[in-house]
Amino acid sequence: MDRVYNFSAGPATLPEEVLQRAREEMLDWHGSGMSVMEMSHRSKWFEEIIKQAEADLRELMNIPSNYKVLFLQGGAWTQFAMVPLNLMKKGKADYVNSGYWSKKAIGEARKFGKVNVVASSEDANFSYIPELYPETFSKDADYFYITTNNTIYGTRYTKLPDTGNVPLVADMSSNILSEVYDVTKFGLIFAGAQKNMGPAGVVVVIVREDLIAEVNPEVPTMLQYKVHAENNSLFNTPPCYSIYVCGLVFQWLKKLGGVPEMQKINEEKAKILYDFIDNSNMFKGTAKKEDRSLMNVTFITGNKDLDAKFVKEAEEHGLVNLKGHRSVGGMRASIYNAMPVEGVKKLVEFMKEFEARNKIEV
Amino acid sequence: MDRVYNFSAGPATLPEEVLQRAREEMLDWHGSGMSVMEMSHRSKWFEEIIKQAEADLRELMNIPSNYKVLFLQGGAWTQFAMVPLNLMKKGKADYVNSGYWSKKAIGEARKFGKVNVVASSEDANFSYIPELYPETFSKDADYFYITTNNTIYGTRYTKLPDTGNVPLVADMSSNILSEVYDVTKFGLIFAGAQKNMGPAGVVVVIVREDLIAEVNPEVPTMLQYKVHAENNSLFNTPPCYSIYVCGLVFQWLKKLGGVPEMQKINEEKAKILYDFIDNSNMFKGTAKKEDRSLMNVTFITGNKDLDAKFVKEAEEHGLVNLKGHRSVGGMRASIYNAMPVEGVKKLVEFMKEFEARNKIEV
């Protein structure tokens, strides 16, 4: 077996140790005589799995007890509707348009209330995080919405907006657990698992409980946070196996030293790649330097054919999924938590070698 | 490793051969160098996996080309809302109340339109399928809703109602692929995977495409069948790994001879168990004989302490999850497709031995 270095933006690479553990436990979890896939979600075993996953996530992110942690289905897209359906009580929210996913969230929210776009970086193809001026924020908004990391464009917020009493809501799908965040600064955080937590099919919601105390009963039951919170994510059959794998990832991360240690490694990985790009004559970063993501590194050669050649040859060297999103072009190296430093070093080595070999063409 | 016979009502036992294959492919799917959990849902590999799963399901159920096959998230509970949100165009539907899940579906549908309960078996704790009289059906209903198999009570429809031009909608969660159904008799079929198809976290929807051509744009995007149909279940990141495992189950079922062959085996398994129950002095079936499920066999001793003793001792013999649902009590043996005949024989052997050993107490 020959494992590749997988730079996919998501679903993304998982720690090999986690996959090995899942393989070992596939037919018999801890002497239960069955796979986690075969367990009743009401069994003592699965209860142990989901409770441990929640406890580990609480520990990793230092989540206060007045926040609920939910494991739901439907990905970020379902959250784009659930957030306004549950939180828009006065019918108005502020959104920052920092990329494709923010824009989708804005479109969805407009079905349910008034959306005020306080700032946008669409003028420069979302290559930066827009400056935010608190005097432009709506004082009577139900919440203020941001996307902490923009997967497609390789940008991230390096400081959070001060929204005062208006709860801050964050789509943290592509950088949850990658750097230290103070959860108390947020009203609600959600994140699809398939980048830094586990397999696709589960989305984690961390929400201050006072925000979900009341809900319009006409909202579909499955879209009510309150229902899931009251039932500890076991209102209906949850995506058990995906939650189990997330739990294994949380344990891996704890063993590694938790989020502060992970952040150091992520900063190191990003530095290796950005430093090389900044000193290269061939490769150029596409995101504004100050707003660069630690998770998604976007770059181009400036020549589409050369970009394509790079992606193809990298793949032949076991460095896969480096093609950039069609809206940015070029390349994107997603270096989530599970991407080892060695993978980034191998990528830089290959970039160096490719640059030397293709000098004439630039 | 000592695998048990797992009679759980769901999530339920999976074919051991499927789990072994999943284990083998865990770190490297078909030479891709990565786990299915790590694949982009837009990759050529995952496209192959989901297309093959759909093609196999179409073949197994003989699904005509004017029906869409969707792999969605949110389980049956989300379908309870999606069905009325998408199909209730005139605002009215007929429902049969044949158990806990039908009742939940009725409650959810009432949020979105007028529900006419045409028949109910609640008077006898849902121990039978109510007789249906076409003259009581609403001629102007948008659809007619049934639950083909009632997991908790161990009942199933042995003939489908003739609803004329009104589309028949079926929750087939607990008996899809267990017996031959003529898909053309239905407007829409849905089924959570976690009984006869795979792990929890994916729900299959089979829907006649003319029924989902139009949708109210105010419905949350993720709850619109049309959106998922137009994008071949890849509108957003689907629950990739769960779909992959379902695909392995479909291949296992094809190799075994398909649904007609599976039905024979299921009839044989159910007969072994029901025959024993009908001849026992200790155990009694709780469902009306003519409406007995092939998937969930419910029975009692008539003595709660003896029931508890049976469940406990069975577990010690590797026959697990036999406790009945709290609303029926006693025992329930769920003998889905993946339960081998041998497991049912072992159960009957144990029941026989238990009965002999506990004669005095009855």
Side-chain angles (χ1 to χ4, degrees):
Chain A
M1 194 199 51
D2 223 3
R3 296 260 303 164
V4 294
Y5 287 111
N6 177 10
F7 295 92
S8 170
T13 194
L14 286 167
E16 193 169 323
E17 175 180 333
V18 163
L19 293 172
Q20 260 154 3
R21 177 94 175 268
R23 180 171 61 176
E24 280 160 27
E25 297 178 345
M26 180 59 85
L27 277 92
D28 181 17
W29 184 83
H30 295 197
S32 63
M34 61 181 79
S35 173
V36 173
M37 292 188 209
E38 303 175 294
M39 285 175 187
S40 164
H41 56 299
R42 310 276 177 211
S43 65
K44 61 179 187 287
W45 300 302
F46 186 71
E47 205 169 301
E48 188 183 324
I49 289 169
I50 193 169
K51 278 191 176 161
Q52 190 63 49
E54 179 180 334
D56 287 340
L57 183 61
R58 283 186 179 275
E59 187 183 329
L60 284 164
M61 294 185 71
N62 197 16
I63 302 171
S65 62
N66 65 323
Y67 283 72
K68 291 285 184 183
V69 173
L70 309 175
F71 296 96
L72 306 180
Q73 295 186 59
W77 253 110
T78 300
Q79 294 308 307
F80 297 165
M82 281 179 81
V83 166
L85 280 169
N86 287 269
L87 266 48
M88 255 194 194
K89 274 146 199 167
K90 292 173 282 183
K92 185 179 181 183
D94 281 356
Y95 277 70
V96 179
N97 182 20
S98 64
Y100 182 87
W101 296 112
S102 308
K103 216 175 156 177
K104 294 293 179 189
I106 289 166
E108 194 70 4
R110 284 202 165 121
K111 292 185 177 185
F112 313 108
K114 194 173 167 342
V115 171
N116 176 36
V117 178
V118 294
S120 168
S121 51
E122 196 164 7
D123 58 345
N125 197 28
F126 301 118
S127 59
Y128 67 99
I129 298 290
E131 203 66 49
L132 299 177
Y133 303 99
E135 60 272 24
T136 63
F137 301 176
S138 313
K139 299 225 164 14
D140 58 342
D142 285 308
Y143 59 88
F144 188 104
Y145 183 104
I146 60 168
T147 311
T148 49
N149 184 81
N150 299 282
T151 326
I152 293 176
Y153 315 93
T155 63
R156 89 183 209 278
Y157 286 75
T158 49
K159 60 175 194 289
L160 297 174
D162 179 4
T163 60
N165 287 326
V166 174
L168 184 61
V169 171
D171 174 357
M172 218 179 256
S173 293
S174 54
N175 75 333
I176 193 167
L177 294 172
S178 73
E179 57 181 292
V180 177
Y181 276 107
D182 177 354
V183 172
T184 66
K185 302 277 183 224
F186 299 87
L188 186 149
I189 294 167
F190 69 83
Q194 66 269 21
K195 294 159 201 289
N196 266 335
M197 292 188 284
V202 59
V203 56
V204 167
V205 177
I206 301 161
V207 58
R208 224 175 62 207
E209 57 189 2
D210 61 289
L211 296 176
I212 58 167
E214 297 296 332
V215 66
N216 173 358
E218 295 307 303
V219 168
T221 307
M222 283 292 286
L223 301 189
Q224 300 182 13
Y225 290 126
K226 190 178 193 290
V227 165
H228 295 291
E230 283 170 352
N231 292 278
N232 298 312
S233 305
L234 292 169
F235 168 69
N236 68 320
T237 315
C240 302
Y241 196 75
S242 301
I243 294 170
Y244 154 73
V245 178
C246 287
L248 295 182
V249 171
F250 299 155
Q251 281 170 32
W252 167 82
L253 188 48
K254 275 175 66 180
K255 216 169 71 183
L256 193 138
V259 179
E261 195 53 40
M262 190 77 251
Q263 179 171 347
K264 274 186 221 159
I265 299 170
N266 286 331
E267 284 165 349
E268 181 195 345
K269 287 188 294 185
K271 188 173 173 357
I272 292 170
L273 201 39
Y274 286 124
D275 277 356
F276 173 75
I277 288 169
D278 289 340
N279 289 304
S280 157
N281 290 315
M282 177 182 274
F283 300 103
K284 297 168 242 342
T286 61
K288 187 176 171 194
K289 278 191 186 179
E290 304 86 273
D291 299 331
R292 278 173 167 175
S293 169
L294 296 176
M295 297 285 100
N296 313 96
V297 178
T298 50
F299 55 99
I300 53 168
T301 64
N303 174 325
K304 279 184 185 178
D305 294 338
L306 200 58
D307 287 350
K309 189 180 176 198
F310 176 84
V311 169
K312 189 174 169 289
E313 291 187 10
E315 192 173 323
E316 288 159 11
H317 285 72
L319 305 161
V320 310
N321 288 320
L322 282 161
K323 194 175 172 202
H325 191 271
R326 61 186 180 281
S327 61
V328 177
M331 280 72 71
R332 171 175 52 176
S334 294
I335 51 173
Y336 296 119
N337 286 358
M339 172 59 66
V341 177
E342 204 203 339
V344 177
K345 285 185 177 162
K346 281 264 195 310
L347 172 60
V348 166
E349 259 172 53
F350 176 74
M351 288 168 80
K352 217 176 272 185
E353 186 266 321
F354 183 87
E355 182 168 350
R357 196 155 38 80
N358 291 278
K359 256 191 182 137
I360 297 146
E361 302 176 40
V362 188
Chain B
M1 195 200 51
D2 222 3
R3 296 260 303 163
V4 294
Y5 287 112
N6 177 9
F7 295 92
S8 170
T13 194
L14 286 166
E16 193 168 323
E17 173 180 335
V18 163
L19 293 172
Q20 260 153 5
R21 177 96 173 267
R23 180 171 63 178
E24 281 159 26
E25 297 178 345
M26 180 58 84
L27 277 93
D28 181 18
W29 184 83
H30 295 198
S32 64
M34 61 180 80
S35 173
V36 174
M37 292 188 208
E38 301 176 295
M39 286 177 186
S40 165
H41 57 298
R42 310 275 177 212
S43 65
K44 61 178 189 288
W45 301 302
F46 186 70
E47 205 170 301
E48 187 184 325
I49 288 169
I50 193 169
K51 279 192 174 158
Q52 190 62 50
E54 179 179 336
D56 287 340
L57 184 61
R58 283 187 178 275
E59 186 183 331
L60 283 165
M61 293 185 71
N62 198 16
I63 302 171
S65 62
N66 65 323
Y67 283 70
K68 291 285 185 183
V69 173
L70 309 175
F71 296 95
L72 306 180
Q73 294 185 61
W77 252 109
T78 300
Q79 294 308 307
F80 296 164
M82 282 179 79
V83 165
L85 280 169
N86 287 269
L87 267 47
M88 255 193 195
K89 274 146 198 165
K90 291 173 281 181
K92 187 179 180 182
D94 281 354
Y95 277 70
V96 179
N97 183 19
S98 64
Y100 182 87
W101 297 112
S102 308
K103 218 175 152 175
K104 294 293 180 191
I106 289 166
E108 194 70 5
R110 285 202 165 120
K111 293 184 177 186
F112 313 108
K114 194 171 166 346
V115 171
N116 176 36
V117 178
V118 294
S120 169
S121 51
E122 197 165 6
D123 59 344
N125 197 27
F126 301 119
S127 59
Y128 66 100
I129 298 290
E131 203 65 49
L132 299 177
Y133 303 100
E135 61 272 24
T136 63
F137 300 176
S138 312
K139 300 229 160 15
D140 57 344
D142 286 307
Y143 59 88
F144 188 103
Y145 183 104
I146 60 168
T147 311
T148 50
N149 184 80
N150 299 281
T151 327
I152 293 175
Y153 316 92
T155 64
R156 88 181 211 278
Y157 285 76
T158 49
K159 59 174 195 290
L160 297 173
D162 179 5
T163 60
N165 287 327
V166 174
L168 183 60
V169 171
D171 175 356
M172 217 178 258
S173 293
S174 54
N175 75 334
I176 193 166
L177 294 172
S178 73
E179 57 181 292
V180 177
Y181 277 108
D182 178 354
V183 172
T184 66
K185 301 279 182 222
F186 299 87
L188 186 149
I189 293 167
F190 69 83
Q194 67 268 22
K195 295 159 199 290
N196 266 335
M197 293 188 284
V202 59
V203 56
V204 168
V205 176
I206 301 161
V207 58
R208 225 176 63 206
E209 57 189 2
D210 62 290
L211 296 175
I212 58 167
E214 298 297 332
V215 67
N216 173 358
E218 295 306 303
V219 168
T221 307
M222 282 291 286
L223 300 189
Q224 300 182 12
Y225 290 126
K226 190 177 193 290
V227 165
H228 295 291
E230 283 171 352
N231 290 279
N232 299 313
S233 305
L234 292 169
F235 168 69
N236 68 320
T237 315
C240 303
Y241 196 75
S242 300
I243 294 170
Y244 153 73
V245 178
C246 287
L248 296 182
V249 170
F250 299 156
Q251 282 169 31
W252 166 81
L253 188 47
K254 276 176 66 180
K255 218 169 68 180
L256 191 137
V259 179
E261 194 53 39
M262 190 76 250
Q263 180 170 345
K264 274 187 221 160
I265 298 170
N266 285 331
E267 284 165 348
E268 182 195 345
K269 287 188 293 186
K271 189 173 174 353
I272 293 171
L273 201 39
Y274 285 125
D275 278 356
F276 173 74
I277 288 168
D278 289 340
N279 289 304
S280 157
N281 290 314
M282 177 181 274
F283 300 103
K284 296 166 244 337
T286 61
K288 187 177 172 194
K289 279 191 186 180
E290 304 87 89
D291 299 332
R292 277 173 167 175
S293 169
L294 296 176
M295 297 285 100
N296 312 95
V297 178
T298 49
F299 55 100
I300 52 169
T301 64
N303 174 327
K304 279 182 185 179
D305 294 337
L306 200 58
D307 287 349
K309 190 180 174 195
F310 176 83
V311 169
K312 189 174 168 290
E313 290 187 9
E315 193 173 322
E316 288 158 13
H317 285 74
L319 305 161
V320 310
N321 288 320
L322 283 161
K323 196 178 170 200
H325 190 270
R326 62 185 179 280
S327 61
V328 176
M331 280 73 71
R332 171 175 50 178
S334 294
I335 51 174
Y336 296 118
N337 286 358
M339 173 57 66
V341 177
E342 203 202 341
V344 177
K345 285 184 177 164
K346 280 264 197 303
L347 172 60
V348 165
E349 256 171 55
F350 176 74
M351 288 168 81
K352 217 176 272 185
E353 186 266 321
F354 184 88
E355 182 168 350
R357 197 156 35 82
N358 290 277
K359 253 188 182 144
I360 296 145
E361 302 176 40
V362 187

